[in-house]
Amino acid sequence: MSDKKSNANSGKATTNNASKKPASGKVTKPLRRPSAAKSGQTSSNADHKSADSRKAKLFDRLKNNEKQNAHTKNLKNKRGFLGKASGASSRGGFEQDKNRFRMIWGIALIILGLLIGRAYYLQVANAQFYQDKGAELITSVRTQASYRGMITDRNNLPLAVSAPLATVSFSPHDYAREYYELKRIIITNPDSPQLVARMQKRLDNMDLTTLAAAANISVNELKKVTAIDASIDVTDEEAVKAALPSGAGSHYLPLLNKVTPEIAQSVSSLDFPGVYEKNFFQRYYPQPHPNSQLLGFMGQNANDSEGGYEGRAGIERQYETELAGDDGKVLVLKDAKQNSLKEIKQIEPEVPGKDVALTIDSRLQYLLYKELEKAGRLQKARWSTGMIVDVQTGEVLALSTWPSFNSNNLNEMTGENQRNRALLDIFEPGSVMKPFTVAAALDSGKYTATSLIDTNPGSIRVRGYTIRDHNNLGMINMATLLQKSSNVASTKIALSLPADAITKMQKQFGFGEKTPLQFPGEGSGLVVTPQEKETARRATVSYGYGLQVTLAQVAQAYSALAAGGVMHPLTLIKDNKPPPSKRIMAHEQAMSIVQMMESVTEDGGTAKGAAIDGYRVAGKTGTSRRINPDGGYYTDQYRNVFAGMVPASNPRLVGVMLIEDPRGQIYAGLTVAPVFHNVMSEALRLYNVPLDKPLKTEAP
C-alpha cells in the first residue's frame, strides 16, 4: 500500500512538474525507482543522489527541447515563403529543399533564355548590321576611277584624252605624331633592345632632308611646318598633343601637284610618314582653241562625294554616259590611322569609257578657226563662226567659233567665249533666205527659172512700209534676183503666193526646229506663218527678216539644195547611224537654184570674193541689221553671212560663215566671202576634189 501511494505521489509530483513547463515534441518519461517501502528496504544516500541526478538530466533535456522549438518557430517566421516548418519532421525538410530546387532551376532557365535571345538577336536577326559596323572599323570601300574615253576626229586623231596624273601631299601633323610616338616607344622600352633598334631605324628614315631632296622643296620649310620639339616629354600625352602642328596647312602641304605617275613615284616610294599620293585622270585637249566650244569642258560633279568630274558642255556633256564608263569599287584594309594597307577584293569591276569618233576633220577645223580669227580681228567684230558640211552624207567636217578659250585652262573661259555660236545663237538671217523664196516660187508652178519680175522703180510700198533695192534693177529673172539680192522681187513673189507658201518652204528645209545634232543648248529658231492680211510680214520673211534661225539650220538647208533637194540630216558622230534622208524638193528645181547662185560669185555678183580658181562656186550673201533691244534695228550695226557650195557642177562641200557686227566693212561680200574662199580652197585640196572649171591664165 505504501509503495503504491509512494508511486502515486511520485507520479503526481512528476505530473505537476511537467505541467508547469509543457514541452513540445516527443517526451520520454523518466524511469522511476521502486519505492523502499514496497521493497522493504530503506533508500541510501547514494540512491537519493542518483535520483536527483536523473531529475537534473531530465530537466536539462526538457529545457533544450524548449529552446529547439523556439528556434524552429523563429526560422518559420523568417522563411515562411520557402515552405512549411515542420520542426524535427524529416518530411518537412524534403519539401523545403524541393521548393528551393525548383526556384533555382526556374531562375537558371530564365537567364538561359535571355542569353539565347540575345545571341539570336546579335548573330541571326541583326547579324548584318554588326558585321557592317565591324567592317567599317578595319575596311573601307575605295572608288576606282574608270578611264574616260577619248574624243577623236574622223581620222582617229585625238581631240580629247584623259592623262593619268598624281598629286603628292605631306601632312606635318601626321609626321610629327609618328615622330613623337617612335620616341616614346624607344624611351619606355629600355628592356627590349630589338624593339628599340627597329623603332630607331624607322626614326632615322624620317630624315626630312631625304624628303626635301626627292620633292625638290626646301628642307627648312619642312622643318618649319613640322615644328618638331625635341625638349618635350613624349610620355606626356597632353604635352605631345599640344606640340602637334595645327591650323592651316597642318594636314595638307602639296609637294607635287598634277604630275605624271612616274614623277610622283620618286616621292611616294620613300614610304615616308605623312606622305600621301592621290591618282586621277585629267582631261587634256591637244587642239584647244578651235574645238573648245564644240567639245565642251569638264567640271566637278556636285553629286559625287569624292569630287569626281563630268562633262559640263558640248560633246563632253552630250555623250557623258558613253565617255565616262563605270567606276569600280575596291574593298581595302586600313590601319588605325585610316591609311590603306592593301586591297582585299574587287567589289565592282571598272568599266572603261568608250571612245567617241566625230565627223570633224581636225585639219579643216584648224583652218576654219584661224580664218575666222583673222577676219574677226581685221573687222574688229564681236565674234565670228562657221561650219563645213559634207553634202553627200550630212557629216559636219568643221565647226568653230572665235573668240575661243583654252579648254586646258578654264580660267580663260567666260560666258561669251564658251558659246558655240553656230548652234546656240539665233538671229535674223537676211538675204541668205532668198534661195528658198525662189524655191517656193518654182514649187508653186507660177514661176520658172526664166520668169521675169518687174522691180521698177526699185522700191515697193507695203502697209505703210517702203521696201527698197540698192538700185532700180528693172525687169529681172530669178538668177538676177539672187545675184543682185533684190528685196523688191522677193516681196512681189511672196505677195503673189498663198500666205503660208514662203514659211512652209522654209520649214520644209528645216528652219524653225532643232537640227538632228541635238547639241546641248541648241537653239530651235522661230518661223511664224503670217496670216493672209499680214502683207508686211509676208514680205519681210521672203528676204530673211521676221524669223529667227541658227547657222546650223542654214548649213543644213544649203546642203539639201546642193544634194539636189535631198535632206541629209546633219551628224557629228561618225559611227552613229544618222536619221534617214528624205527628198524635200525636185532634183531639177534644186539644181536650177544652185546654177542661179553661181552668178553671185561671178562678175556683177555680191560675193565675187568667194570665187575659187578652177571651181564653180554657188552661194548667197546676207547682210542684215542687228536688232536693237530697245526696239527696231541699229543703223550702224550689221551681221554678215555667206553660204556657198563647191563645186557647183556636182556639189561636194557646203560652207557657211558669219561675222557679227564688223567694224571695218559692212557688206558680207567684203567681210565673210573671203573667209569662205580661203577655207574652201584648202578643203578642196585636202579632199582631192577634181576641178570643174578651167584655171585662169595670166596674160603674158
Side-chain angles (χ1 to χ4, degrees):
M1 292 288 293
S2 61
D3 291 338
K4 291 180 180 180
K5 289 179 180 179
S6 177
N7 291 338
N9 293 332
S10 176
K12 289 179 181 179
T14 303
T15 305
N16 292 333
N17 292 334
S19 63
K20 292 179 181 179
K21 294 181 180 181
S24 62
K26 186 178 181 181
V27 180
T28 305
K29 293 182 179 180
L31 295 176
R32 289 178 297 176
R33 187 172 177 269
S35 174
K38 186 178 181 179
S39 62
Q41 300 175 352
T42 58
S43 301
S44 63
N45 292 333
D47 292 336
H48 284 292
K49 292 179 179 179
S50 176
D52 293 338
S53 177
R54 286 196 298 272
K55 288 180 180 179
K57 289 181 179 180
L58 179 60
F59 181 78
D60 291 339
R61 288 180 62 184
L62 291 173
K63 190 175 182 179
N64 290 337
N65 286 340
E66 187 176 3
K67 290 181 178 180
Q68 182 177 359
N69 289 337
H71 179 67
T72 302
K73 186 176 182 180
N74 190 31
L75 286 176
K76 180 178 179 182
N77 292 333
K78 291 182 178 180
R79 303 181 181 180
F81 67 95
L82 296 176
K84 294 181 179 181
S86 56
S89 174
S90 61
R91 181 172 179 79
F94 173 76
E95 290 292 337
Q96 187 177 13
D97 291 342
K98 183 172 67 174
N99 290 336
R100 291 174 180 172
F101 178 81
R102 290 174 178 173
M103 181 190 69
I104 293 171
W105 269 102
I107 294 173
L109 288 175
I110 291 173
I111 295 174
L112 180 62
L114 292 174
L115 292 175
I116 293 174
R118 181 61 176 171
Y120 176 83
Y121 175 77
L122 295 177
Q123 300 182 26
V124 179
N126 209 23
Q128 189 61 44
F129 172 78
Y130 289 100
Q131 288 177 9
D132 295 341
K133 283 292 185 183
E136 287 180 4
L137 299 176
I138 60 173
T139 62
S140 64
V141 177
R142 187 182 68 195
T143 300
Q144 192 175 45
S146 62
Y147 178 80
R148 190 175 181 86
M150 292 194 303
I151 301 177
T152 66
D153 77 343
R154 64 186 302 107
N155 300 313
N156 294 322
L157 294 176
L159 301 178
V161 296
S162 290
L165 295 177
T167 293
V168 181
S169 62
F170 177 60
S171 172
H173 181 277
D174 293 352
Y175 174 87
R177 183 179 59 185
E178 181 74 8
Y179 180 89
Y180 292 134
E181 178 65 17
L182 293 177
K183 295 283 287 186
R184 186 193 66 79
I185 295 174
I186 292 173
I187 293 174
T188 57
N189 293 276
D191 298 332
S192 302
Q194 292 182 348
L195 175 62
V196 170
R198 290 199 307 270
M199 297 301 102
Q200 186 61 50
K201 183 177 179 180
R202 290 177 58 182
L203 194 62
D204 294 339
N205 290 334
M206 293 177 63
D207 186 3
L208 290 173
T209 305
T210 304
L211 178 62
N216 194 23
I217 192 173
S218 171
V219 67
N220 292 329
E221 182 180 352
L222 293 179
K223 289 180 179 180
K224 181 180 179 180
V225 295
T226 53
I228 297 298
D229 187 356
S231 64
I232 69 169
D233 181 7
V234 293
T235 61
D236 186 348
E237 185 177 348
E238 293 300 324
V240 170
K241 187 179 295 184
L244 293 176
S246 60
S250 61
H251 289 272
Y252 182 82
L253 175 67
L255 299 178
L256 299 173
N257 188 30
K258 296 182 180 180
V259 297
T260 62
E262 292 78 14
I263 296 177
Q265 183 69 16
S266 63
V267 176
S268 59
S269 62
L270 296 176
D271 196 22
F272 208 84
V275 172
Y276 304 102
E277 178 183 353
K278 182 179 180 180
N279 296 293
F280 58 96
F281 292 102
Q282 178 166 311
R283 208 61 165 167
Y284 176 70
Y285 303 93
Q287 199 179 78
H289 286 89
N291 299 304
S292 59
Q293 298 98 341
L294 172 62
L295 301 181
F297 57 91
M298 303 289 291
Q300 193 166 15
N301 185 352
N303 298 322
D304 190 343
S305 59
E306 297 191 6
Y309 283 77
E310 64 179 355
R312 299 299 294 273
I315 298 296
E316 295 278 23
R317 175 183 174 184
Q318 186 176 6
Y319 293 93
E320 168 66 20
T321 303
E322 293 83 349
L323 290 167
D326 295 318
D327 291 341
K329 292 185 178 180
V330 181
L331 185 66
V332 297
L333 183 67
K334 59 184 181 181
D335 60 13
K337 300 175 184 177
Q338 304 301 305
N339 298 321
S340 299
L341 298 178
K342 67 174 183 178
E343 295 182 359
I344 300 176
K345 65 177 181 178
Q346 184 93 27
I347 299 177
E348 294 181 7
E350 171 197 353
V351 180
K354 297 179 181 178
D355 294 343
V356 173
L358 303 183
T359 59
I360 296 294
D361 188 327
S362 57
R363 300 170 298 178
L364 280 183
Q365 185 81 342
Y366 178 79
L367 287 169
L368 176 61
Y369 176 78
K370 296 307 292 183
E371 290 297 327
L372 291 173
E373 180 184 25
K374 178 181 176 182
R377 293 186 184 278
L378 180 65
Q379 299 296 333
K380 299 179 182 179
R382 294 176 183 266
W383 45 266
S384 57
T385 186
M387 289 181 66
I388 301 175
V389 179
D390 188 324
V391 171
Q392 299 174 357
T393 63
E395 294 178 341
V396 179
L397 302 178
L399 170 59
S400 192
T401 298
W402 173 87
S404 184
F405 65 95
N406 184 353
S407 43
N408 295 314
N409 179 16
L410 297 185
N411 291 327
E412 296 183 6
M413 185 178 68
T414 66
E416 291 296 316
N417 64 20
Q418 71 169 308
R419 292 184 63 82
N420 192 326
R421 302 284 185 177
L423 294 168
L424 273 61
D425 286 15
I426 56 175
F427 59 93
E428 287 186 319
S431 295
V432 291
M433 299 300 293
K434 288 174 181 175
F436 308 103
T437 299
V438 174
L442 297 179
D443 186 66
S444 68
K446 295 179 65 174
Y447 295 88
T448 66
T450 58
S451 297
L452 296 177
I453 304 171
D454 185 5
T455 65
N456 287 300
S459 63
I460 185 174
R461 192 80 173 167
V462 178
R463 287 281 182 177
Y465 295 96
T466 301
I467 300 172
R468 293 184 174 88
D469 287 337
H470 294 291
N471 299 297
N472 182 4
L473 302 176
M475 297 291 291
I476 60 173
N477 58 18
M478 296 293 183
T480 305
L481 183 157
L482 296 177
Q483 182 187 36
K484 300 297 184 179
S485 193
S486 174
N487 293 336
V488 175
S490 299
T491 298
K492 288 195 170 183
I493 290 175
L495 296 180
S496 67
L497 299 177
D500 64 343
I502 303 297
T503 54
K504 182 179 179 181
M505 181 60 67
Q506 291 171 347
K507 291 179 180 179
Q508 197 168 317
F509 274 90
F511 294 104
E513 62 180 15
K514 293 181 180 181
T515 69
L517 296 177
Q518 297 299 312
F519 195 80
E522 180 180 356
S524 58
L526 181 64
V527 176
V528 179
T529 301
Q531 299 298 318
E532 182 70 31
K533 295 181 179 180
E534 294 179 307
T535 54
R537 178 181 291 274
R538 291 169 59 187
T540 56
V541 296
S542 70
Y543 53 86
Y545 282 85
L547 71 158
Q548 294 178 328
V549 304
T550 66
L551 198 73
Q553 292 172 352
V554 176
Q556 180 176 247
Y558 271 75
S559 296
L561 279 177
V566 176
M567 174 75 77
H568 297 297
L570 298 182
T571 178
L572 268 170
I573 307 302
K574 187 173 178 59
D575 297 330
N576 281 8
K577 185 178 180 180
S581 302
K582 62 179 180 179
R583 177 166 293 281
I584 57 177
M585 189 177 186
H587 181 270
E588 295 76 9
Q589 291 178 349
M591 295 313 297
S592 67
I593 295 174
V594 171
Q595 292 176 7
M596 294 178 196
M597 288 193 294
E598 284 189 59
S599 62
V600 175
T601 63
E602 296 173 347
D603 291 338
T606 57
K608 189 176 179 181
I612 301 174
D613 190 17
Y615 293 95
R616 293 164 56 187
V617 178
K620 185 70 187 76
T621 57
T623 300
S624 58
R625 295 181 184 273
R626 299 184 72 238
I627 296 177
N628 188 336
D630 296 330
Y633 295 89
Y634 288 109
T635 58
D636 60 344
Q637 296 184 20
Y638 298 87
R639 178 180 301 107
N640 296 165
V641 183
F642 180 82
M645 56 197 73
V646 287
S649 59
N650 183 22
R652 172 72 187 279
L653 301 174
V654 162
V656 182
M657 286 77 180
L658 180 151
I659 294 180
E660 186 77 2
D661 191 18
R663 292 295 176 172
Q665 302 286 342
I666 65 173
Y667 295 110
L670 300 175
T671 60
V672 73
V675 177
F676 177 91
H677 166 86
N678 296 339
V679 175
M680 302 306 282
S681 297
E682 289 298 316
L684 293 168
R685 182 185 62 82
L686 287 173
Y687 284 89
N688 295 317
V689 178
L691 302 175
D692 67 340
K693 181 180 179 181
L695 291 171
K696 291 181 180 179
T697 58
E698 295 187 8

